[in-house]
Structures are given as C-alpha cells and as structure tokens.
Amino acid sequence: MSPIGVFDSGYGGLTILDGIRQMLPQYDYLYLGDNARAPYGTRSFERVYEFTLQAVKFLFQQGCPLVILACNTASAKALRSIQQLDLPAIDPTRRVLGIIRPTAEVVGSITSSRHVGILATEGTTRSLTYNLEIAKLHPDIVVTGEACPMWVPLVENHEYDSLGADYFVQRHIDHLLARDPMIDTIILGCTHYPLLLDKILKYTPPTVRVIPQGGYVASSLQDYLTRHPDMASRITMGGSVRYLTTEQPSVFNTSATLFLQHEVSAEGISLG
Ligand code: DGL
C-alpha cells in the first residue's frame, strides 16, 4: 500500500481529508493526528518543526510517497525546512505539500475590495506566512491576520456549539473587521475552524465571504497529481482510509466522529 499521508496536530486535518476524499475518493489515505502533543498553535517554531518532521518520517516509513501537512501551523512553521533541508536527505523522490499556498492562490480571484482577513492560531498568525504567500502571488492585496487562541480549545472540548463559542467567535470577528473594515473575504486559516462555521457566519456581515480551505486544498492536490503523473502512479487506488493517533484510539474515535459525521476506528502509535 502506498497511500497519501495526511498529517495534522490533532483532529483539524480531518476537515481537509474530508474535502480531499470528496474530490479524489479513488486513492488510499493514511491519516495521522499527533493528538497527544496537540495543540501546536501555541508551540515554538523548533517544537512544531521537530514534531512535524517526526510525523513525516513516520508516514514515509508506512509507505506514503506524498504527505499533506493538513495543518496551517505545521505548514507555516515546518514545511519550508522539511522541503528544503530534510527531504533531499531522506528521499528526494517523495513530496511534502502544505495547505497555505493553495489557499493563498485562490484568494486573488475571490476578493473584490483586495482586503483579506485571516483567522488562525497564534503560531500561524505570528509566522506571517499567509501575508508573505499572498504578497508573492497578489501584491495588491492587504492582509490582516487575527489570532484566535481560544477557538481550537473550544472545538477540541466539544464546546463549538456553546454560548462560550458565541462570545469568542464574535469577539475575534468584530476585532478583525474593526482593524480593517474594507475586508470582504475571510480565510479560515486553521483546519479546526470549519466546525465553528455556523457561529462565524452568524457574526460576519453577509457582504463578507468566509472561506474554509478543504475544497481548495482538494482542487490544488488534484491539479498537482494531474501535473505529476509519476507521483499519481505511485499512489495506490483502493479508496481506503486508515486513522492513526498518538493518543488513546478510543479518545480519538469519539472526537473524530464529530469532525467527520461518521464513525472511525483509529490505531494508536507513538512518535519520537
Ligand atoms: N489544526 C491546526 C491548524 O490548522 C491548529 C491546531 C493546533 O493548534 O494544533 O493550524
């Protein structure tokens, strides 16, 4: 089996896996959540890089020729180093792709005002990766990043439908739009945030477009595999998904079911 590896710090990457599988159901997938060490959003560059590299090496050992970092924080803090420093030494024929670039690519054709807001973890926001990637592709777009440190814990503690979630969602949307009232497009730059989508839409004016990433990452992967048939031919096509977690599988299974709306049965592994 040579599945596509999909990595996230925890559960958030399941929203990306879901989007990818809707578009590319034919491939085999191996999902890995580093739940025991999540969240990554508040961790240093060094730790996120170290943990992400361990996960990528593990997925390579399991036979994945291609790994998607389905986590904005890992894409922001570890992707470049892994691609440039580690991959040539580990195996130059394998690939690791992130999810920030595909999201930055599409935003240019969505915003009219050319003012875009990014809601993300502290780590992603501070790294300014979205600002840099969007500036490279669409230099006329003004980007404002807003860190929402309470949002991942709300989701991970199954509080995404609570009054507490209303409070924190409204607070950050109001703050973002007060900082730049010209924003007409908001990117959900954290893979956990689609679970808060109802609340986010409730507090966002209807003139502002809110963009979850899953569909765009999927189209970008489809495009990548079309342009790289050598890579596409290395991925096995059984339509299967295996879930691995660094936490207790029973804990993962309960929460993963909320993200995917169907039951999963994970296997426990350890990294590092
Ligand atoms: N899912 C991660 C992301 O997209 C955030 C979760 C975490 O902080 O570990 O940024």
Side-chain angles (χ1 to χ4, degrees), residues 8-9 12 39-41 71-73 121 124 152 189-192:
D8 182 51
S9 59
Y40 280 14
C71 172
N72 289 273
T73 310
T121 63
T124 301
V152 167
C190 171
T191 53
H192 278 65

Side-chain angles (χ1 to χ4, degrees), residues 138-194:
H138 319 288
D140 60 318
I141 294 182
V142 177
V143 179
T144 305
E146 171 85 7
C148 312
M150 288 301 290
W151 290 17
V152 167
L154 282 166
V155 172
E156 297 253 319
N157 290 291
H158 309 171
E159 291 286 340
Y160 49 87
D161 224 3
S162 68
L163 285 174
D166 276 277
Y167 173 81
F168 284 107
V169 167
Q170 183 174 22
R171 185 166 132 173
H172 287 295
I173 303 267
D174 285 355
H175 192 234
L176 175 68
L177 295 177
R179 288 169 62 209
D180 182 357
M182 299 272 290
I183 287 172
D184 71 350
T185 306
I186 294 179
I187 294 174
L188 302 188
C190 171
T191 53
H192 278 65
Y193 296 175

Side-chain angles (χ1 to χ4, degrees), residues 8 12 15-16 41 69-76 99-101 103-104 107 116-127 129-130 134 143-148 151-152 176 185-194 197 200 210-214 216-217:
D8 182 51
T15 62
I16 301 289
L69 300 186
C71 172
N72 289 273
T73 310
S75 298
I99 57 172
I100 292 183
R101 176 82 182 194
T103 314
V107 82
V116 168
I118 316 286
L119 298 168
T121 63
E122 196 122 37
T124 301
T125 308
R126 283 212 192 154
S127 75
T129 308
Y130 270 101
I134 293 174
V143 179
T144 305
E146 171 85 7
C148 312
W151 290 17
V152 167
L176 175 68
T185 306
I186 294 179
I187 294 174
L188 302 188
C190 171
T191 53
H192 278 65
Y193 296 175
L197 189 59
I200 294 167
V210 176
I211 310 186
Q213 298 172 286
Y216 297 112
V217 172

Side-chain angles (χ1 to χ4, degrees), residues 87-134:
L87 209 48
I90 303 171
D91 182 348
T93 73
R94 304 202 196 207
R95 287 288 170 271
V96 181
L97 304 176
I99 57 172
I100 292 183
R101 176 82 182 194
T103 314
E105 273 168 11
V106 296
V107 82
S109 57
I110 297 172
T111 172
S112 305
S113 70
R114 314 310 278 171
H115 287 246
V116 168
I118 316 286
L119 298 168
T121 63
E122 196 122 37
T124 301
T125 308
R126 283 212 192 154
S127 75
L128 297 178
T129 308
Y130 270 101
N131 306 58
L132 297 169
E133 289 293 337
I134 293 174

